[in-house]
Amino acid sequence: MTRPRKFESGGGGLTSTAADYLRFAQMMLNGGELDGVRLLSPKTVEWMTSDHLGPSIARGAEYIPGAGYGFGLGVAVRENAGISPVHGSAGDYHWSGAAGTFFWVDPREQLIGIFMAQAPSVRQYFRQLIKSLVLQAVVE
């Protein structure tokens, strides 16, 4: 007897547009509010963007999202400055898709970055490059 295989993936197969990604990221940056409408409480956004792994979870060489990051509720969260090889601020958070899509929010810089791509074999290279180029352009 054969049964269909299960692939439980909370975000797998989701699709969206750059405009929708931007609206979601802007709502998060605004502490849960968008266009004058409260969608999430500030405490919920804080909870989502705080590390929930803690020091007891081993983070080896294959740990995604990498050194210097913990994981909140649906997003990777930079714990502090100076550990990650990727540019950013303590408290920035991001999500990246398997095929290359990437967004980040940097509350300290009041910055949102969105990169839409279908390039799984070079996704990590372009994510780091785009984020680095954007952050190097920040002057204030």
Side-chain angles (χ1 to χ4, degrees):
M1 178 165 141
T2 52
R3 292 184 284 187
R5 292 183 182 187
K6 285 178 136 183
F7 179 65
E8 296 180 10
S9 173
L14 294 178
T15 60
S16 190
T17 65
D20 285 343
Y21 245 114
L22 177 59
R23 289 180 57 76
F24 173 76
Q26 187 65 61
M27 182 269 303
M28 293 292 287
L29 183 61
N30 294 347
E33 189 175 309
L34 184 66
D35 298 334
V37 177
R38 168 87 31 219
L39 299 167
L40 297 173
S41 74
K43 277 305 226 186
T44 298
V45 173
E46 180 183 341
W47 185 248
M48 290 173 69
T49 60
S50 298
D51 178 40
H52 291 273
L53 297 181
S56 63
I57 303 295
R59 302 176 198 189
E62 298 300 316
Y63 171 67
I64 298 173
Y69 281 88
F71 220 85
L73 303 179
V75 293
V77 181
R78 183 182 293 265
E79 297 174 304
N80 44 47
I83 295 175
S84 175
V86 180
H87 290 102
S89 304
D92 75 11
Y93 51 93
H94 73 267
W95 177 256
S96 51
T101 298
F102 174 66
F103 90 98
W104 80 92
V105 176
D106 188 331
R108 184 173 140 211
E109 298 294 342
Q110 291 291 292
L111 178 70
I112 295 167
I114 299 171
F115 179 66
M116 304 291 271
Q118 294 293 307
S121 64
V122 291
R123 65 183 181 228
Q124 198 60 26
Y125 169 78
F126 281 112
R127 288 175 186 156
Q128 291 181 10
L129 176 65
I130 296 296
K131 190 172 182 187
S132 179
L133 290 171
V134 168
L135 291 173
Q136 288 178 51
V138 174
V139 292
E140 290 183 19

